[in-house]
């Protein structure tokens, strides 16, 4: 049993090493000379000119890339400070590409160059897309399955935002997430502060609320909306890029209405400038999915027309077609045709049934429970929600999994303004049980849970995923002492049952037994829920 657990841990670590990528590469444009690039790797092509406008972020600038095979993409460039503009491009295919620039500024117009694109490096899989053969699932551009296990960290942008040379705190925290099986981080472009009372025990070094940085000119108290703070976005680049290096998707929420941000008026010139700049700057990252706003319709800031306008504006600008969602179930339910995947925020105690209802209400879309009401307790009380036990939070995550949907985890030590990046420095009792999700990722990968059928009743309790043939995976509630299986009539006559402990990541020894008319198994000792894997053998 221990040997099996160690094998999975080794394979997970090996997999994480394989997805390590080089940091974004910056090269200077060379007129009509070939530059070297790799499929699915981000490359910045830099153009140096004298500033040509009092509002340099408003300069129209783009490059059209054409491959020998006839593929064509026109990518908008962006101002990067001082005398520098950039075209950020991720080659979707191997081969020779040519590019030509267009601009209202003479020095940026009519530049011609070449890219020689080599095959993708080991571990590089491309952007996340919806599986065309199974639209409940995600996959990478190269066809490999992507099964998201998400972690919310709204203020991830802030950990090193005042460090102009490095991101050591960000790396430490992101490394911890990657080591524990998380492959998506839900984060804001910017947030200011929470609107609830803060714990009196909270140490200032862990409170990233009220940051001195700001995406516009001025600051949050005295904003200058006529300018964008390019240095702010340069530092955000480092965070998105490092997530990409670690194989973690950045679920990037462009707005948030209830975190004290002094946003410009909706649809104003300043609002559009900000929104367009974010899209131009981050669309090329293959590890990016868009979220228009956290709790988009929850605070009276805007309406469905504004959200729809932002989606349409994004789709016109994002030539890489990154996936789009809205952190608002009411919007996703009413306008599911506008989003690529559905984000729900459902806290019900009967979570499995509720998530199955969502599947029935919205067909043919992946569904992410972006906030299931479980906020694992930490060293400080930040926001308790309904459930704070790490084990209960895990149960709710698995109920999302067995419903055929995807989970998001919150830890009160990192979800909002409070971030304790060095988890190992905490007393043992204050540390989150992130290893639970490492075990989950290993289990998901081993049994390809994303490919299994959800919603069928194949037992007298709990929940089931199955392949319609010889594999049945059960969620067995902790209340069950005995567990009755309901296998199909044309079953074989023997089965192998293997128990998995989701808290430890350990498997019990397999048990081979004959299938009776009403097969029943005794659950393992312990107070927690368990998973049961049943392999049915033919006659």
């Amino acid at each position: 049993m221990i040997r099996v657990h160690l094998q999975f841990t080794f394979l997970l670590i090996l997999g994480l090493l394989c997805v390590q990528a080089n940091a974004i590469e910056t090269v200077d444009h060379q007129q009509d000379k070939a530059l070297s690039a790799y499929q699915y790797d981000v490359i910045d092509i830099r153009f140096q000119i004298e500033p040509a406008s009092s509002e340099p972020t408003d300069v129209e600038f783009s490059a059209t890339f054409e491959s020998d095979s006839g593929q064509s993409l026109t990518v908008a460039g962006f101002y990067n400070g001082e005398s520098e503009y950039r075209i950020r491009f991720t080659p979707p295919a191997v081969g020779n590409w040519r590019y030509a620039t267009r601009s209202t500024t003479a020095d940026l117009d009519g530049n011609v160059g070449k890219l020689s694109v080599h095959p993708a490096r080991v571990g590089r899989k491309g952007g996340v897309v919806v599986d065309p053969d199974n639209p409940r699932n995600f996959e990478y551009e190269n066809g490999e399955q992507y099964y998201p296990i998400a972690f919310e960290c709204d203020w991830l942008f802030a950990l090193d935002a005042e460090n102009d040379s490095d991101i050591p705190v960000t790396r430490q925290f992101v490394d911890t997430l990657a080591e524990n099986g998380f492959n998506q981080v839900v984060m804001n472009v910017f947030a200011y502060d929470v609107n609830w009372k803060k714990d009196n025990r909270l140490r200032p070094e862990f409170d990233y609320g009220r940051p001195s940085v700001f995406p516009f000119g001025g600051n949050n108290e005295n904003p200058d909306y006529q300018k964008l703070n390019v240095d702010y976005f340069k530092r955000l680049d480092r965070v998105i890029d490092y997530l990409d290096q670690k194989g973690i998707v950045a679920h990037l929420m462009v707005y948030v209405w209830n975190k004290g941000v002094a946003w410009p008026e909706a649809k104003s010139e300043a609002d559009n400038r900000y929104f367009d700049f974010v899209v131009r700057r981050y669309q090329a990252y293959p590890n990016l999915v868009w979220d228009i706003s956290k709790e988009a319709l929850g605070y009276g800031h805007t309406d469905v027309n504004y959200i729809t306008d932002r989606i349409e504006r994004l789709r016109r600008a994002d030539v890489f077609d990154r996936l789009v969602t809205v952190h608002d179930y009411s919007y996703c339910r009413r306008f599911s045709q506008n989003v690529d995947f559905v984000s729900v925020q459902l806290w019900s105690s009967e979570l499995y049934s509720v998530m199955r209802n969502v599947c029935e209400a919205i067909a043919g879309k992946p569904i992410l429970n972006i906030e299931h009401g479980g906020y694992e307790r930490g060293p400080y009380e930040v926001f308790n929600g309904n459930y704070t036990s790490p084990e209960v939070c895990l149960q709710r995550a698995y109920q999302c999994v067995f419903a055929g949907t995807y989970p998001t985890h919150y830890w009160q030590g990192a979800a909002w303004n409070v971030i304790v990046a060095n988890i190992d420095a905490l007393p043992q009792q204050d540390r989150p049980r992130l290893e639970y999700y490492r075990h989950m990722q290993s289990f998901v990968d081993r049994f390809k849970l994303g490919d299994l059928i959800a919603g069928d009743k194949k037992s007298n309790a709990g929940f089931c995923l199955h392949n319609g043939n010889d594999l049945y995976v059960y969620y067995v509630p902790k209340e069950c002492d005995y567990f009755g299986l309901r296998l199909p009539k044309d079953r074989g006559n023997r089965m192998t049952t293997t128990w998995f402990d989701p808290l430890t990541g350990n498997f019990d020894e397999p048990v081979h037994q004959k299938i009776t008319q009403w097969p029943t198994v005794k659950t393992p000792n312990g107070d927690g829920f368990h998973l049961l894997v049943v392999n049915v053998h033919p006659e």
Side-chain angles (χ1 to χ4, degrees), residues 162-330:
E162 297 179 11
N163 185 335
D164 62 0
S165 60
D166 199 6
I167 55 167
V169 183
T170 303
R171 283 199 304 272
Q172 180 181 51
F173 187 68
V174 169
D175 287 351
T176 299
L177 296 182
E179 290 162 4
N180 285 285
F182 295 102
N183 56 14
Q184 184 171 143
V185 171
V186 181
M187 59 181 290
N188 283 114
V189 172
F190 181 74
Y192 189 60
D193 209 357
V194 296
N195 56 13
W196 52 74
K197 187 178 183 300
K198 297 182 180 181
D199 192 328
N200 292 330
R201 300 170 299 138
L202 177 60
R203 289 165 52 179
E205 64 266 31
F206 298 140
D207 185 359
Y208 288 87
R210 309 182 72 82
S212 62
V213 296
F214 193 54
F216 300 93
N219 55 47
N220 199 68
E221 289 80 10
N222 296 289
D224 178 1
Y225 296 131
Q226 298 308 308
K227 300 177 183 177
L228 290 174
N229 181 359
V230 174
D231 285 340
Y232 174 83
F233 292 98
K234 286 182 178 180
R235 296 178 186 187
L236 181 59
D237 286 1
R238 303 177 304 182
V239 179
I240 307 297
D241 183 47
Y242 193 68
L243 290 170
D244 189 29
Q245 293 178 50
K246 301 298 291 188
I248 297 177
V249 167
H251 180 132
L252 192 63
M253 298 183 290
V254 182
Y255 300 103
V256 57
W257 311 128
N258 69 331
K259 297 299 186 294
V261 181
W263 295 109
E265 183 181 351
K267 287 191 180 181
S268 65
E269 181 181 58
D271 182 27
N272 290 338
R273 179 184 294 117
Y274 161 80
F275 187 84
D276 293 347
F277 188 79
V278 169
V279 176
R280 290 171 185 168
R281 191 158 194 123
Y282 298 107
Q283 62 173 318
Y285 282 101
N287 67 317
L288 185 128
V289 298
W290 298 107
D291 194 325
I292 299 299
S293 177
K294 182 178 178 69
E295 296 171 334
L297 300 178
Y299 299 95
H301 179 87
T302 186
D303 58 18
V304 296
N305 295 319
Y306 177 77
I307 300 303
T308 299
D309 171 82
R310 295 295 94 173
I311 293 174
E312 292 173 349
R313 193 178 188 95
L314 186 152
R315 292 200 188 278
R316 289 193 299 269
D318 179 5
V319 300
F320 294 94
D321 292 328
R322 305 304 181 201
L323 299 184
V324 182
T325 192
V326 178
H327 188 317
D328 186 282
Y329 179 37
S330 65

Side-chain angles (χ1 to χ4, degrees), residues 521-535:
V521 294
K522 187 179 186 322
T523 59
N525 293 329
D527 295 329
F529 73 105
H530 285 80
L531 306 185
L532 175 65
V533 179
V534 177
N535 295 102

Side-chain angles (χ1 to χ4, degrees), residues 45-89:
I45 305 174
R46 180 167 52 195
F47 298 80
Q48 303 275 3
I49 69 165
E50 290 301 318
S53 170
S54 59
E55 295 182 356
T57 55
D58 294 343
V59 169
E60 294 183 13
F61 175 45
S62 66
T64 297
F65 292 81
E66 294 184 344
S67 70
D68 287 349
S69 64
Q71 190 170 1
S72 179
L73 293 171
T74 298
V75 182
F78 55 87
Y79 178 61
N80 201 50
E82 298 179 347
S83 60
E84 181 180 299
Y85 285 80
R86 295 190 177 202
I87 296 289
R88 182 164 287 167
F89 183 63

